[in-house]
Amino acid sequence: MNPIPFRQGDLDRLSGLYSLLNAYYALLWTEPRSLFRGMFRDAISWLHTRRELDSAISSGITVSLLMELNQGAFRQVSCKFTLSRPLHRRTRLNMYDFLNFVDRFARPPQSVVMLYHGNCLARRWTTVTGIGLDKLLLFDSTGENHIFPQRYG
């Protein structure tokens, strides 16, 4: 059975939260969906308690807040995943090096890559589960199942 990613609402900027939940789901897809609904509730409660919920809904979630959320909100999950930032914001890779980087880390059921991508009009988080001949394979909250990285230079 192929799991179907959780879908993000049209009126919020919570792609980071959905990408994180979908990363967990891509790696733990045999767990009941109710576990992930509980994780979503815990994340919303955690953001509310920290007074970050309004900002997250209207502006999105920063990398640092996403990393904190992963550590602080998901207490009922028996296996915690580590979020790391192997590439810093200003790191520029050519296409070949970028695809090699993704290929090295996108290895379900052990690991996936969360990627912040887009263009000047719209940027968002997604979960990358692998690499095809010319595309990144996604487990994405919009229902997209791939992107062509050449579009983003």
Side-chain angles (χ1 to χ4, degrees):
M1 178 181 118
N2 289 335
I4 297 170
F6 296 106
R7 300 296 292 262
Q8 179 185 352
D10 290 333
L11 301 176
D12 65 67
R13 300 285 312 252
L14 293 175
S15 65
L17 173 56
Y18 276 87
S19 183
L20 182 58
L21 287 169
N22 281 329
Y24 272 93
Y25 191 37
L27 300 172
L28 297 172
W29 65 272
T30 58
E31 295 291 327
R33 287 179 72 91
S34 60
L35 169 71
F36 304 99
R37 280 192 289 278
M39 291 172 70
F40 181 80
R41 278 192 310 273
D42 291 348
I44 294 298
S45 176
W46 186 87
L47 288 166
H48 176 72
T49 300
R50 293 183 46 112
R51 300 185 191 285
E52 297 281 358
L53 183 58
D54 289 345
S55 174
I57 289 171
S58 61
S59 302
I61 297 177
T62 63
V63 173
S64 57
L65 186 59
L66 201 56
M67 293 174 84
E68 288 178 47
L69 186 147
N70 183 57
Q71 291 300 311
F74 300 146
R75 290 197 166 83
Q76 90 277 13
V77 179
S78 59
C79 84
K80 276 276 203 193
F81 294 115
T82 302
L83 281 181
S84 62
R85 191 176 190 177
L87 296 177
H88 294 283
R89 181 186 347 216
R90 302 207 192 296
T91 302
R92 298 302 247 186
L93 296 176
N94 64 41
M95 190 59 60
Y96 177 80
D97 290 339
F98 171 72
L99 294 175
N100 279 333
F101 171 82
V102 171
D103 191 43
R104 191 172 67 211
F105 288 100
R107 302 276 180 191
Q110 293 83 23
S111 65
V112 294
V113 173
M114 289 177 58
L115 177 67
Y116 190 64
H117 75 97
N119 55 36
C120 60
L121 299 175
R123 298 189 63 78
R124 63 185 194 78
W125 287 95
T126 191
T127 302
V128 180
T129 57
I131 192 164
L133 290 175
D134 60 349
K135 60 190 168 197
L136 299 179
L137 307 176
L138 306 180
F139 194 67
D140 189 75
S141 64
T142 65
E144 286 184 81
N145 58 12
H146 66 273
I147 56 172
F148 298 99
Q150 297 82 351
R151 288 188 191 164
Y152 303 105

